[in-house]
Amino acid sequence: MKIIVTGGAGFIGGNFVLYAVDKYPQDQIINLDALTYAGNLETLKPVEDKPNYKFVKGDIADREFIFNLFEEEKPDVVINFAAESHVDRSITDPGIFVRTNVVGTTTLLDACRTFGIGRYHQVSTDEVYGDLPLDRPDLLFTETTPLHTSSPYSSAKASADLFVQAYHRTYGLPVSISRCSNNYGPYHFPEKLIPLVISRALNDEEIPVYGKGENVRDWLYVTDHCKAIDLIVRKGREGEVYNIGGHNEKTNLEVVQTILRILGKPESLIKYVTDRPGHDLRYAMDPTKITTELGWQPEHTFETGIKDTIDWYLNNKEWWQNIISGEYQNYFTKQYKM
């Protein structure tokens, strides 16, 4: 089987490529990535010389390029991780999110229709559902929860999901969609909460926390997510949406405090900053459907996953220090005014 993985030099896509190349040596894994700010080919060093791995640089919104690639490679499966994904950046510049997340998705769908595809899988997010109240821990997102977006990022992802479903209903394209909770783990770009806290704590630098840190997220270890996607692509029903959650709800402040405690750093490093506009209160997924139909269960608790993540960052300082020393530093200063 030949699989095109878009966004395979990013965080989740990169972890999926590492997983798939090793697990399925008989499959050809083509990593398609535009190498924007969050793309990092250093992530793929462990597999770059494997015979079943290939990297292609390109933009999923470039229609001529995508059609030429499909004609040349004739993929059996496309798994679309490629997306602009940082909410703060979407508030600053919504247009690039529309181009990548919406135009890019429909370009891939058109190519899949034209060249014939065994399965197109869209990697989506819990943020398309909006948020849940903090005082109702009994409420969870299900696959039938109405879409109710809060940011340009989540609006672009929700739009992409609707196009995927429309191509299935209108054209009979074999598709599936997964919506995941917040991922964490190795190779996470340092602007995101957990790697940001780890990297700054190790340097004894102030750690920005939005508002009072009360916002709740359900944390999912990235390899658990990759295994869930693999199951959906190979065994999931066509046209279906599957929620993937970690059963690990934590406030942002709890996450920061946990990391500081493990690293032996003081909570005095925490600096509360002005809250993000439209900041969702709580995300919480109900993964009953994927568990019941496909037998998937997360293998990591937050306690085991966060320790593994911190160990990875301690043992791979060069990877994230190379990122922090670049353009990202200018963005961080501008974004958090620190």
Side-chain angles (χ1 to χ4, degrees):
M1 190 159 65
K2 184 177 285 189
I3 304 171
I4 290 180
V5 178
T6 70
F11 167 45
I12 306 175
N15 274 280
F16 184 85
V17 169
L18 294 174
Y19 169 80
V21 168
D22 284 340
K23 182 170 183 180
Y24 301 106
Q26 73 279 13
D27 290 345
Q28 290 294 313
I29 310 298
I30 300 169
N31 174 7
L32 170 61
D33 199 291
L35 295 183
T36 56
Y37 78 96
N40 189 349
L41 283 180
E42 290 186 0
T43 299
L44 285 308
K45 280 184 177 180
V47 298
E48 62 186 5
D49 295 325
K50 295 288 183 72
N52 64 328
Y53 170 76
K54 178 180 179 180
F55 172 73
V56 177
K57 186 177 186 296
D59 181 354
I60 63 170
D62 184 336
R63 191 175 186 86
E64 181 179 1
F65 166 81
I66 289 296
F67 272 63
N68 287 338
L69 178 67
F70 274 60
E71 185 170 23
E72 177 183 349
E73 297 292 350
K74 297 178 174 56
D76 302 296
V77 172
V78 174
I79 305 176
N80 183 26
F81 291 90
E84 294 287 342
S85 63
H86 196 262
V87 174
D88 292 343
R89 289 179 182 263
S90 80
I91 294 169
T92 303
D93 181 14
I96 186 62
F97 284 72
V98 174
R99 184 180 187 280
T100 300
N101 299 1
V102 183
V103 176
T105 297
T106 55
T107 300
L108 290 171
L109 291 169
D110 283 337
C112 288
R113 280 185 61 213
T114 301
F115 293 96
I117 200 78
R119 174 66 67 92
Y120 173 91
H121 182 76
Q122 179 75 5
V123 180
S124 188
T125 172
D126 56 3
E127 295 188 45
V128 300
Y129 296 125
D131 63 354
L132 297 166
L134 294 176
D135 60 354
R136 289 292 306 277
D138 57 309
L139 294 180
L140 302 171
F141 294 137
T142 70
E143 289 82 0
T144 59
T145 299
L147 305 187
H148 185 67
T149 61
S150 303
S151 69
Y153 160 61
S154 57
S155 297
K157 291 296 286 186
S159 178
D161 286 5
L162 292 174
F163 272 107
V164 172
Q165 292 175 318
Y167 272 61
H168 175 67
R169 293 167 186 164
T170 304
Y171 306 113
L173 193 70
V175 305
S176 50
I177 299 172
S178 57
R179 295 173 179 152
C180 67
S181 54
N182 281 44
N183 279 223
Y184 69 106
Y187 303 107
H188 205 175
F189 195 74
E191 73 182 355
K192 301 290 187 167
L193 177 63
I194 286 176
L196 178 85
V197 174
I198 294 170
S199 61
R200 292 187 69 82
L202 289 173
N203 291 325
D204 296 309
E205 297 173 331
E206 287 184 336
I207 296 165
V209 173
Y210 280 129
K212 298 179 181 179
E214 296 174 336
N215 304 72
V216 173
R217 300 293 181 259
D218 172 21
W219 291 96
L220 175 67
Y221 194 70
V222 65
T223 53
D224 289 335
H225 184 197
C226 292
K227 291 177 181 180
I229 291 172
D230 185 36
L231 273 173
I232 295 168
V233 169
R234 295 172 185 271
K235 298 181 180 179
R237 290 183 290 143
E238 290 183 9
E240 292 295 314
V241 176
Y242 292 90
N243 283 353
I244 309 171
H247 296 296
N248 292 303
E249 288 187 55
K250 304 286 180 183
T251 67
N252 288 345
L253 185 58
E254 285 176 325
V255 171
V256 174
Q257 290 171 330
T258 298
I259 295 170
L260 291 175
R261 183 173 65 252
I262 293 172
L263 291 175
K265 299 292 184 176
E267 292 189 12
S268 57
L269 290 176
I270 296 171
K271 179 180 180 181
Y272 296 97
V273 298
T274 302
D275 207 356
R276 161 197 297 163
H279 198 176
D280 287 335
L281 294 175
R282 173 176 168 256
Y283 303 145
M285 289 294 229
D286 181 356
T288 299
K289 181 176 178 178
I290 188 173
T291 299
T292 301
E293 290 190 13
L294 304 179
W296 176 85
Q297 290 276 9
E299 297 173 11
H300 294 78
T301 65
F302 184 76
E303 289 68 29
T304 61
I306 197 64
K307 290 178 180 177
D308 289 347
T309 301
I310 290 172
D311 285 343
W312 187 89
Y313 277 87
L314 289 172
N315 293 323
N316 294 272
K317 289 184 179 180
E318 184 179 2
W319 183 87
W320 54 267
Q321 287 174 343
N322 286 346
I323 296 174
I324 291 177
S325 63
E327 181 273 336
Y328 172 77
Q329 196 76 329
N330 298 327
Y331 166 75
F332 179 84
T333 302
K334 177 182 176 183
Q335 181 62 37
Y336 294 108
K337 298 177 176 59
M338 291 176 63

